[in-house]
Amino acid sequence: MGRAGRRLPALAALFYGALAALVLLGVRDVLFLYEENRCSMTYMYEYPEYLKIKLPKKTARRYPAYELYLYGEGNYAEENKNLLLTGIPVLFLPGNAGSYKQVRSLGSIALRKAEDVDFKYHFNFFSVNFNEELVALYGGSLQRQTKFVHECIKVILKLYRDREFAPTSVAIVGHSMGGLVARALLTLKNFKPELINLLITQATPHVAPVMPLDKYLTDFYTAVNNHWILKAQDLRNLTTLSVAGGFRDYQVRSGLAFLPRLSQHDSALSVVSSAVPRAWASTDHLSIVWCKELILATIRAFFDLIDENTRQITEDPKKRMSVLNHHFVRHPAKIFEENPETSMELTGAFMWITVKTPKWTYSVYNDSDGKYFTFPLASHRKSYSHVYCGNSMLDTSSWIYGCMNSNSSMCLEATDLSWRAELLPGTKVVILKLQDYPSLSHIVLQVPPTVGNKYTLDCEFFREDSRTVQLPVTHLFSFGLSSSKILLNSTGLLYNVQLQHFNQVYQAFKIYIESHCHSLKERKPSVYRLHIPWSHEDSITVAKAPSSTEISAKLHIAQPQNDNRIPELNIYSSSDCQYEVILKTSLLQILGQVIRFHAGAFPVYVVSNILLAYGGQLSTLISTGQCSDFSLELVRTAKPYKVEPLLSIVVFLHGFHWFRVIRESLSLPEVDAAVLSSQDAWFPLVSLILFLFGTGIAYWSGVIFSTSLRLISSLWLTLIRPTVLQKDNKLITPRRLCGVLSLALVSWTTCGAFAVLIIYLRYLFKVIRLHMNVKAEQNILNGDLDHSKETSWNPSIDTIKNQSSMDSTSKATPQSLSNSTTVAEAVNSLKMHVTILNLFTWIMLLNLPSLIYWLKNLRYNVRLDPDPCRLTAIVLICILEILMNSSTSEVKSSKLLKIASKVPLPLSVAMLAFGQMHLYRVPHFVTFSLLLHVLCCVV
């Protein structure tokens, strides 16, 4: 091999190492580089107790692994042991591997809230024990869980029979997959929709499964989402709230937690926890069930939802949505009122003070006299378009009014504008467009007498165009080398910075905000809000002034096609400060977005690359009679231009009606890339990027895999004496046939993944033993047992030199040549076996969740039913039993080898087209390719 030939593998290793490093950087951004946890822990004031509810015998017998509990604490728990319940029932459904005890945060805070109102109203929190099943990875039990929840609802409602104010429905809180199970209740044929009137989900992936590892999971999602879209009118009496965790939740990205757009426009609400008033914090996947700020918002909403007449959750859908919007979208810093009184008279012996300046600040401290500050609008309407007022007193009383009738000294009739306010961290603000209030003569601010309280009020009249500035975002490929900058020279109280062309999920930026103040006096902090107008995913940052603050700007949901609104950076500033805003593209966060949105598709791209290398090895058997090394073949065959153009053509054609008609007539599934595009998760060059990342992972995982095999075989060689290499002429023997039948029986009667694991371990054992024997034979032929140079991994092992010093004691030359040929053939077979085993390792990993689920539930049932990989396991057992005993000498002479070497390329394209959202299809493509290999051994 020349110098250029030796340089190529090194360059390839460096290139693929860089790709793998980019993947790791993206993973690091997702898993570690997010905001700090700003949630407070919820604590129980008394010891929590879980009272097991006795279920009907038929239900208990049908669902032996599931249970129903009632939550309680202290005296409340003792009183409820006789199950004479009088409260409002709420059912908590845990998610993937979740515990029924996660209800304690909701139950405990609801109990404290009930104590505050002397138990005039209270809630009974029930919780289902799903045995901590892994339903996010195995969908076979989702339907069973759904039916069990239906039985639980009927049992719960029976507990209130003959009670005064007996409930007719149950509110449900579902965490993670528990929220999806709650939605699935409505797909049951005998389920009455009126049994649920309120559903709150926490970090539930509504759109699609995070890892679509089996058909039962994807079919369940399809059935639920289709039902909610097609039967939206029938579900209008059900109010649904979905709360996502934000960027801290790396298990379920927030885009998946948004309810499907076509369903229930007026009775469904989706928010990210970072946008929830009084929380303003991102949560991870588990903390969302105990985050005190979110739980308080939920419990406050529950109590505001109570109808005083029925003492149950209101049956009015409009009121339910009003309450949820009040607590989860826009909080006016007032206690919820369904129909608030807006017209009133301003009374009290307060001093009336007229303010004529367009900008005004007033600090209050130990003010014993109440005051009304009036701002006449007539003098400001021509010069200004808006008025902004802020108040740092965070009580729930009214504080700002619009005067409709006044005399020269005071306002006689006013409308309460406090309901137009919005609560922000440390302040409540009102922004009014003067044109919308032509009947108002004055704006009135009320300052009540205060003792010991210190707060500040600000007001400012301004023109909208003077406070709205446009900041074009930097290009995706600027890599942070260029920046967009804007200086806000005025000393206003509010700025709106429009982030132009910021509308896609693959964009990610760092925004640096520097505040410069004229004096060093104490002032209220600045509030920066990144406002996304098409979804409730705002994020809020509080910073001292002056200061330098860094904000991450990235999206959970891309801008809809029919929406032309622009994201904004709202700056609620201090009165005498100037601000400089600098925006740069963040390469690391772009990589994080790629990982966040497409990490589930990585196995497809990795296996596709390995399959291409496998096809290349079969091709070299035809051209040279030798099997090339996996890493070299991956460099030669895993080219994006071989796969990506075909995939792009398929996605392009999918946009035409005639192509979809042909696809449906051939019973082909929908192209996954087209589905992702419709969900705004597919962006330009993403498939190319994922393919390159997949190549890097395939390369280095192959290197690590082969190195591990060498290390294990070397260790084995020091402990066990190797056997002599010998050719096995029989692929199928009675003993092997019995082994196949036994494993097939294991697959049919227990778990398919368990049988796959057994055959995998057998194959792994055979490959390690073959590697050990080859190494021992090579050492003997080289005449140097101490020199352990591993020529078995050298693709140019055509000849093996005999040592001249061994001529007198060596065996006869014909036998040496025979041994040399046998070793060379074994080396070729070993390379092929390692590649097949590498492919099989990924199949084993994709089937692992159903194996874990089966082992966890083994005490309830020996047979996994339904089993997503039972039939595939039986086919793989037959194939691998033959392949593990085959050699390349049998394959080289086959008439089908040419076909088998060409098939991996179209299979790789098909895998990328149909496997990204259906990972369970990946083993099918690999199995078909290996089946052709088996036929090459036979024909």
Side-chain angles (χ1 to χ4, degrees):
M1 185 185 294
R3 183 177 298 176
R6 289 192 299 269
R7 190 181 301 159
L8 182 61
L11 290 176
L14 186 63
F15 176 68
Y16 294 133
L19 289 175
L22 290 177
V23 174
L24 292 177
L25 287 174
V27 172
R28 175 175 174 266
D29 178 77
V30 173
L31 298 185
F32 303 107
L33 301 183
Y34 42 69
E35 66 177 73
E36 63 180 6
N37 183 20
R38 299 205 295 263
C39 281
S40 305
M41 175 68 78
T42 51
Y43 295 98
M44 284 77 252
Y45 291 92
E46 297 175 279
Y47 188 78
E49 296 185 33
Y50 305 89
L51 177 64
K52 186 176 179 181
I53 305 298
K54 186 177 181 180
L55 300 173
K57 291 182 179 179
K58 184 179 179 181
T59 303
R61 187 167 56 250
R62 185 180 299 175
Y63 309 101
Y66 301 159
E67 297 167 325
L68 176 64
Y69 289 88
L70 172 65
Y71 178 82
E73 293 180 16
N75 294 331
Y76 173 77
E78 287 294 325
E79 293 171 0
N80 287 335
K81 284 188 176 180
N82 55 8
L83 295 180
L84 298 176
L85 307 178
T86 58
I88 303 169
V90 180
L91 178 60
F92 176 79
L93 304 180
N96 178 61
S99 169
Y100 66 95
K101 295 182 179 181
Q102 290 173 315
V103 73
R104 61 182 176 268
S105 296
L106 284 166
S108 182
I109 290 184
L111 183 59
R112 303 284 86 77
K113 180 74 172 176
E115 290 174 349
D116 292 341
V117 296
D118 295 326
F119 282 91
K120 179 181 179 181
Y121 311 113
H122 70 280
F123 290 84
N124 302 129
F125 275 85
F126 297 85
S127 183
V128 173
N129 178 16
F130 284 136
N131 194 31
E132 301 184 8
E133 292 178 335
L134 300 173
V135 287
L137 304 177
Y138 169 75
S141 63
L142 283 169
Q143 194 67 24
R144 186 162 55 247
Q145 286 191 1
T146 305
K147 292 179 179 178
F148 178 73
V149 172
H150 185 197
E151 297 298 324
C152 288
I153 292 175
K154 291 190 285 187
V155 169
I156 289 171
L157 292 178
K158 284 182 180 179
L159 295 175
Y160 296 86
R161 187 182 296 171
D162 301 328
R163 301 283 194 276
E164 187 181 9
F165 306 113
T168 58
S169 62
V170 174
I172 295 181
V173 178
H175 173 240
S176 188
M177 294 298 288
L180 187 71
V181 169
R183 289 179 62 211
L185 284 168
L186 299 158
T187 65
L188 299 178
K189 292 182 180 180
N190 57 345
F191 184 80
K192 298 176 182 179
E194 57 269 19
L195 292 179
I196 309 174
N197 59 9
L198 177 66
L199 170 60
I200 298 177
T201 65
Q202 302 169 328
T204 296
H206 292 293
V207 177
V210 178
M211 293 293 287
L213 292 171
D214 65 62
K215 191 174 186 298
Y216 306 112
L217 188 58
T218 56
D219 287 352
F220 189 82
Y221 264 91
T222 301
V224 172
N225 286 331
N226 286 347
H227 182 87
W228 276 59
I229 291 172
L230 297 175
K231 302 290 185 180
Q233 291 300 319
D234 298 338
L235 306 177
R236 60 184 179 273
N237 290 324
L238 171 62
T239 303
T240 309
L241 169 68
S242 175
V243 183
F247 289 110
R248 280 187 62 86
D249 189 351
Y250 52 79
Q251 296 184 46
V252 176
R253 64 177 178 86
S254 295
L256 292 178
F258 277 64
L259 291 161
R261 292 173 183 169
L262 296 178
S263 66
Q264 293 182 290
H265 290 288
D266 57 348
S267 60
L269 180 64
S270 300
V271 299
V272 179
S273 61
S274 60
V276 175
R278 307 171 82 171
W280 299 301
S282 177
T283 62
D284 60 55
H285 196 63
L286 291 179
S287 68
I288 199 169
V289 300
W290 55 255
C291 178
K292 184 177 181 180
E293 290 76 9
L294 271 181
I295 300 300
L296 283 171
T298 305
I299 297 304
R300 290 180 186 126
F302 270 131
F303 276 86
D304 284 342
L305 285 166
I306 297 174
D307 186 325
E308 291 185 1
N309 297 321
T310 63
R311 299 205 174 185
Q312 297 294 323
I313 289 178
T314 179
E315 296 294 329
D316 183 2
K318 290 184 179 180
K319 179 180 178 181
R320 292 198 296 261
M321 284 304 297
S322 297
V323 170
L324 294 181
N325 276 288
H326 179 94
H327 289 283
F328 289 91
V329 177
R330 185 186 178 95
H331 198 296
K334 289 181 67 66
I335 297 173
F336 175 79
E337 295 180 29
E338 187 175 2
N339 297 304
E341 290 284 341
T342 55
S343 296
M344 59 185 64
E345 295 181 2
L346 299 181
T347 59
F350 285 13
M351 184 185 302
W352 289 83
I353 303 173
T354 302
V355 181
K356 295 183 178 181
T357 59
K359 185 178 178 182
W360 170 84
T361 299
Y362 183 76
S363 295
V364 183
Y365 182 66
N366 284 337
D367 198 340
S368 59
D369 299 323
K371 296 181 178 67
Y372 284 121
F373 292 93
T374 64
F375 299 81
L377 299 181
S379 59
H380 295 304
R381 288 188 184 275
K382 293 183 180 180
S383 302
Y384 305 104
S385 63
H386 289 71
V387 60
Y388 163 91
C389 290
N391 186 352
S392 61
M393 170 62 80
L394 301 183
D395 61 356
T396 58
S397 59
S398 296
W399 62 281
I400 183 169
Y401 306 90
C403 186
M404 296 183 292
N405 185 11
S406 64
N407 56 25
S408 58
S409 61
M410 59 187 297
C411 182
L412 301 177
E413 184 181 2
T415 180
D416 190 356
L417 298 177
S418 304
W419 293 101
R420 302 285 182 179
E422 181 177 13
L423 182 64
L424 294 172
T427 185
K428 48 188 177 184
V429 301
V430 174
I431 303 173
L432 302 175
K433 188 175 182 180
L434 298 181
Q435 186 179 351
D436 295 339
Y437 300 90
S439 62
L440 299 185
S441 61
H442 295 75
I443 296 293
V444 181
L445 264 65
Q446 179 182 359
V447 180
T450 57
V451 177
N453 291 327
K454 184 177 182 181
Y455 61 97
T456 303
L457 292 96
D458 302 280
C459 272
E460 180 183 27
F461 289 87
F462 65 92
R463 295 192 64 84
E464 185 179 25
D465 54 3
S466 68
R467 297 300 171 81
T468 302
V469 293
Q470 296 178 341
L471 182 66
V473 299
T474 51
H475 194 271
L476 177 68
F477 296 108
S478 64
F479 302 119
L481 300 178
S482 62
S483 63
S484 291
K485 183 186 299 185
I486 195 165
L487 181 63
L488 306 174
N489 287 317
S490 67
T491 57
L493 299 176
L494 173 69
Y495 303 98
N496 295 319
V497 181
Q498 294 184 341
L499 305 178
Q500 291 184 309
H501 315 301
F502 178 36
N503 50 26
Q504 299 297 330
V505 295
Y506 58 83
Q507 295 174 298
F509 307 98
K510 285 186 177 180
I511 301 176
Y512 302 92
I513 305 175
E514 294 187 8
S515 57
H516 307 280
C517 303
H518 298 304
S519 63
L520 299 178
K521 67 177 183 179
E522 183 182 355
R523 55 179 58 83
K524 67 179 184 180
S526 301
V527 178
Y528 310 131
R529 175 170 66 178
L530 182 63
H531 174 58
I532 310 302
W534 56 80
S535 62
H536 301 298
E537 55 174 284
D538 295 4
S539 58
I540 293 180
T541 304
V542 181
K544 294 181 179 180
S547 65
S548 179
T549 306
E550 178 183 317
I551 299 174
S552 294
K554 47 195 175 185
L555 298 174
H556 297 291
I557 299 287
Q559 184 179 33
Q561 292 182 356
N562 58 350
D563 196 321
N564 56 5
R565 290 174 292 178
I566 302 174
E568 291 183 340
L569 175 65
N570 305 134
I571 300 177
Y572 301 91
S573 58
S574 295
S575 59
D576 61 341
C577 296
Q578 294 179 337
Y579 293 81
E580 183 180 24
V581 181
I582 302 172
L583 182 145
K584 292 183 179 181
T585 297
S586 175
L587 176 61
L588 292 181
Q589 293 189 54
I590 290 174
L591 293 173
Q593 288 292 82
V594 172
I595 299 298
R596 181 174 284 107
F597 279 82
H598 298 284
F602 270 29
V604 181
Y605 283 90
V606 174
V607 175
S608 175
N609 276 277
I610 298 175
L611 200 59
L612 289 173
Y614 165 72
Q617 287 180 311
L618 293 178
S619 297
T620 58
L621 278 178
I622 300 174
S623 58
T624 65
Q626 305 292 328
C627 181
S628 61
D629 188 65
F630 169 78
S631 58
L632 294 178
E633 208 53 46
L634 184 69
V635 174
R636 187 178 72 85
T637 59
K639 305 296 185 183
Y641 61 78
K642 293 183 178 181
V643 176
E644 289 304 311
L646 295 174
L647 182 61
S648 299
I649 290 172
V650 171
V651 175
F652 175 75
L653 292 176
H654 196 272
F656 295 95
H657 178 71
W658 60 267
F659 183 81
R660 293 195 297 270
V661 171
I662 295 174
R663 177 185 60 78
E664 291 172 1
S665 64
L666 296 175
S667 299
L668 292 175
E670 198 169 7
V671 179
D672 286 353
V675 177
L676 288 169
S677 180
S678 67
Q679 297 174 358
D680 299 322
W682 194 259
F683 44 86
L685 300 180
V686 65
S687 187
L688 174 62
I689 295 170
L690 292 176
F691 186 89
L692 292 174
F693 284 172
T695 309
I697 296 173
Y699 182 91
W700 283 102
S701 65
V703 169
I704 294 172
F705 185 71
S706 59
T707 302
S708 301
L709 291 178
R710 287 200 297 270
L711 291 175
I712 294 173
S713 62
S714 299
L715 179 62
W716 199 342
L717 188 61
T718 60
L719 300 176
I720 301 174
R721 183 176 180 179
T723 58
V724 179
L725 282 174
Q726 51 184 338
K727 188 175 180 180
D728 193 349
N729 294 319
K730 292 184 179 181
L731 292 175
I732 303 175
T733 63
R735 183 179 177 182
R736 291 169 185 167
L737 185 61
C738 290
V740 169
L741 293 176
S742 300
L743 287 178
L745 184 63
V746 169
S747 175
W748 190 259
T749 57
T750 58
C751 174
F754 180 54
V756 169
L757 176 62
I758 294 174
I759 194 73
Y760 173 79
L761 293 176
R762 283 191 59 203
Y763 200 172
L764 180 64
F765 172 77
K766 281 220 167 192
V767 170
I768 292 173
R769 190 171 63 178
L770 177 61
H771 192 290
M772 180 187 66
N773 293 338
V774 167
K775 186 173 184 179
E777 289 289 340
Q778 286 177 339
N779 289 336
I780 293 174
L781 288 175
N782 288 332
D784 187 2
L785 290 172
D786 296 325
H787 184 63
S788 59
K789 184 179 180 181
E790 296 178 1
T791 56
S792 63
W793 298 95
N794 189 344
S796 58
I797 186 103
D798 295 336
T799 59
I800 299 177
K801 298 180 181 180
N802 295 320
Q803 301 292 327
S804 57
S805 59
M806 296 289 292
D807 286 345
S808 59
T809 59
S810 65
K811 297 181 181 180
T813 300
Q815 186 173 352
S816 297
L817 290 175
S818 175
N819 290 343
S820 159
T821 304
T822 302
V823 171
E825 192 62 47
V827 168
N828 288 326
S829 299
L830 179 61
K831 292 175 181 177
M832 184 60 69
H833 284 310
V834 170
T835 301
I836 294 173
L837 190 60
N838 193 1
L839 272 174
F840 193 35
T841 301
W842 285 94
I843 295 177
M844 184 63 236
L845 291 175
L846 292 175
N847 289 328
L848 199 58
S850 62
L851 174 63
I852 297 173
Y853 180 92
W854 173 73
L855 289 172
K856 192 171 182 179
N857 291 272
L858 195 57
R859 57 177 174 165
Y860 301 107
N861 202 336
V862 175
R863 190 174 192 261
L864 180 63
D865 189 30
D867 190 342
C869 57
R870 178 171 290 128
L871 296 178
T872 306
I874 293 174
V875 176
L876 281 173
I877 289 166
C878 299
I879 290 174
L880 293 174
E881 185 63 40
I882 295 175
L883 288 182
M884 74 172 66
N885 297 295
S886 65
S887 65
T888 52
S889 60
E890 297 156 343
V891 177
K892 282 189 289 187
S893 58
S894 174
K895 299 177 181 179
L896 296 176
L897 181 57
K898 192 170 184 179
I899 297 175
S901 65
K902 300 295 183 184
V903 164
L905 177 59
L907 285 180
S908 294
V909 176
M911 192 185 302
L912 297 181
F914 302 110
Q916 296 189 54
M917 296 182 65
H918 303 82
L919 294 179
Y920 60 88
R921 292 173 181 166
V922 172
H924 302 159
F925 295 108
V926 176
T927 301
F928 182 77
S929 185
L930 295 180
L931 181 61
L932 289 177
H933 194 142
V934 169
L935 293 177
C936 289
C937 297
V938 178
V939 180

